[in-house]
Amino acid sequence: MTHVSERSGAGSSPTGAGGDRQPWTAGTGRPGRKRTVSYADAGVSIEAGDRAVELLKSKVRETRRPEVMGDLGGFAGLFRLDTAKYKNPILASSTDGVGTKLVIAQQLDIHDTVGIDLVAMVVDDLVACGAEPLFLLDYIATGEVVPDKVAEIGAGIADGCRYAGCALLGGETAEHPGVLRPDEYDISATGVGVVEESDILSSERVEVGDVVIAMRSSGLHSNGYSLVRHVLLGAGRMRLDVVIEDFGRQRTLGEELLTPTKIYAQDCLKLIAEAEVRALAHVTGGGIPGNLVRILPEHVDAIVDRATWKPQPIFDLIQSKGRIEDPEMEATFNMGVGMFAIVSAEDADRALATLTGRGVDAWQAGEIIEGTGNVQMIGQHTRG
């Protein structure tokens, strides 16, 4: 975050004798009586915003890459693209938010994880086309800038950038009194990556006989939380501090719901370097069928066998509490898979070994067959 929006004092105050700035005065019709008004009276604290930036500086510097130019506080972030590394470099960009998962963070007053979710949603979209994430810009809008809270959110964003290997190049913290409640905030980010034109991953590379490899999610990630809150906290009347035995380790519902989204960017880049990867699908809104179909050409189908994995207990809890049908679950949630890689059959073992070596829980979940561009979900998940 580089600054707080709507900074005051940008030439808007009248000037008195000798060029000294004078406060704005409200006329009352009675000479000699003046009332000064400050930006703080409108609910915006410049000092709080500056304090938040100071608290974040060390975390942001931990994300610095060699290509970053200058320091924090400028009007724009500068990044020197090393064009010598590429014959035809293509820039990729992605923007996203975290959605109503933020409501859970605000209810629990825990703010240092949603930034990781934010980065994941952006960089894993970038890597899906084969791009290396280079840098990210964030945006935080809040009803009241509380420096420590903004610093917690920003620290999570910085952590996510470190995991993804990209720089947190800058951003904006905006205070919106009267629009958002003092304890309310929303966040978003835009990321930029680069890929060699000849290495762009797309549906055009996918062939009959390829293997579908699944990478386990860390849980719900950042999708479907409006339905989650309706089913569990609304109709289900569950408390966020209740311990759910099936989650293990005396884990509460709130802790499970705030589990950060897994960031796959560096794992996928390593996979691309080690194996013949045809395409990648980041499983977000729309679930497995809705995202995997995006990387299929019209002449093939993807077979995904549910029997090859067991979703985490949170999915069973949501489905049972809400009496949700299987198709609705699969169209809303990732069901335990956060990323798919389609690889050549010859490189399937190498791909799995590469991911396993990096600590990624991955397995062969299906194959590519002749078809009409559809995803066929077969089998049943292991239960219990």
Side-chain angles (χ1 to χ4, degrees):
M1 279 62 68
T2 54
H3 62 281
V4 175
S5 70
E6 299 185 340
R7 282 193 181 279
S8 61
S12 59
S13 299
T15 304
D20 294 332
R21 291 191 182 276
Q22 301 296 322
W24 174 82
T25 59
T28 64
R30 289 175 292 185
R33 181 168 181 172
K34 297 181 180 180
R35 178 180 181 273
T36 62
V37 177
S38 71
Y39 210 4
D41 292 328
V44 177
S45 172
I46 299 300
E47 291 77 11
D50 290 342
R51 174 59 178 160
V53 173
E54 286 300 318
L55 291 173
L56 273 172
K57 280 186 176 180
S58 63
K59 293 290 291 187
V60 174
R61 289 192 178 105
E62 291 177 4
T63 74
R64 190 179 180 92
R65 290 173 51 124
E67 303 97 327
V68 175
M69 301 174 63
D71 203 352
L72 297 175
F75 287 99
L78 302 177
F79 191 95
R80 181 186 289 108
L81 181 63
D82 185 2
T83 55
K85 291 174 57 178
Y86 308 91
K87 293 181 179 179
N88 294 296
I90 302 297
L91 294 179
S93 64
S94 177
T95 189
D96 213 330
V98 178
T100 61
K101 186 172 186 176
L102 294 178
V103 176
I104 308 297
Q106 291 161 23
Q107 289 176 337
L108 292 173
D109 197 25
I110 297 175
H111 313 286
D112 59 352
T113 61
V114 290
I116 299 173
D117 293 296
L118 179 64
V119 176
M121 296 296 284
V122 173
V123 299
D124 286 341
D125 276 356
L126 291 176
V127 81
C129 71
E132 175 192 1
L134 297 176
F135 59 84
L136 183 135
L137 302 168
D138 65 36
Y139 177 81
I140 302 174
T142 181
E144 178 184 354
V145 171
V146 178
D148 288 342
K149 180 188 294 185
V150 172
E152 286 182 44
I153 299 169
I157 297 172
D159 285 341
C161 286
R162 286 193 298 105
Y163 304 152
C166 66
L168 181 52
L169 198 58
E172 174 81 342
T173 300
E175 194 163 27
H176 291 172
V179 178
L180 298 172
R181 297 189 308 272
D183 62 343
E184 188 177 11
Y185 61 85
D186 195 10
I187 60 178
S188 65
T190 297
V192 173
V194 63
V195 58
E196 183 68 58
E197 185 172 10
S198 61
D199 295 334
I200 295 175
L201 302 181
S202 72
S203 60
E204 297 175 0
R205 294 173 173 253
V206 178
E207 302 176 358
V208 173
D210 287 344
V211 169
V212 178
I213 289 177
M215 302 177 218
R216 185 170 293 280
S217 70
S218 56
L220 289 170
H221 283 187
S222 300
N223 297 103
Y225 273 77
S226 293
L227 179 56
V228 169
R229 291 187 301 111
H230 173 72
V231 168
L232 301 185
L233 307 182
R237 298 185 178 181
M238 297 184 68
R239 293 167 50 97
L240 291 172
D241 60 358
V242 65
V243 173
I244 306 297
E245 184 177 348
D246 287 346
F247 294 166
R249 304 186 306 279
Q250 292 294 302
R251 190 171 174 83
T252 66
L253 176 61
E255 289 171 332
E256 178 65 29
L257 295 182
L258 281 188
T259 301
T261 304
K262 181 169 177 56
I263 296 176
Y264 301 93
Q266 289 298 311
D267 302 316
C268 288
L269 290 174
K270 183 65 174 179
L271 179 63
I272 291 168
E274 296 292 332
E276 184 63 34
V277 177
R278 313 286 201 196
L280 293 168
H282 184 201
V283 183
T284 55
I288 292 172
N291 287 283
L292 194 52
V293 73
R294 298 166 66 180
I295 58 171
L296 298 180
E298 294 182 354
H299 65 281
V300 307
D301 281 2
I303 302 292
V304 177
D305 188 355
R306 301 182 186 92
T308 61
W309 82 95
K310 177 183 177 182
Q312 292 92 331
I314 184 63
F315 297 104
D316 284 336
L317 178 65
I318 294 167
Q319 186 165 19
S320 62
K321 283 287 186 180
R323 297 190 296 276
I324 303 172
E325 298 290 335
D326 288 345
E328 182 69 18
M329 289 291 296
E330 291 186 339
T332 305
F333 303 107
N334 65 57
M335 300 305 294
V337 178
M339 183 77 77
F340 281 104
I342 298 181
V343 304
S344 66
E346 295 79 12
D347 273 10
D349 289 342
R350 178 189 296 271
L352 288 170
T354 298
L355 292 171
T356 300
R358 293 185 60 84
V360 179
D361 186 359
W363 64 95
Q364 182 172 332
E367 60 180 336
I368 302 299
I369 65 170
E370 291 184 3
T372 55
N374 294 310
V375 177
Q376 299 183 32
M377 304 289 293
I378 66 171
Q380 296 297 323
H381 294 300
T382 302
R383 303 290 182 180

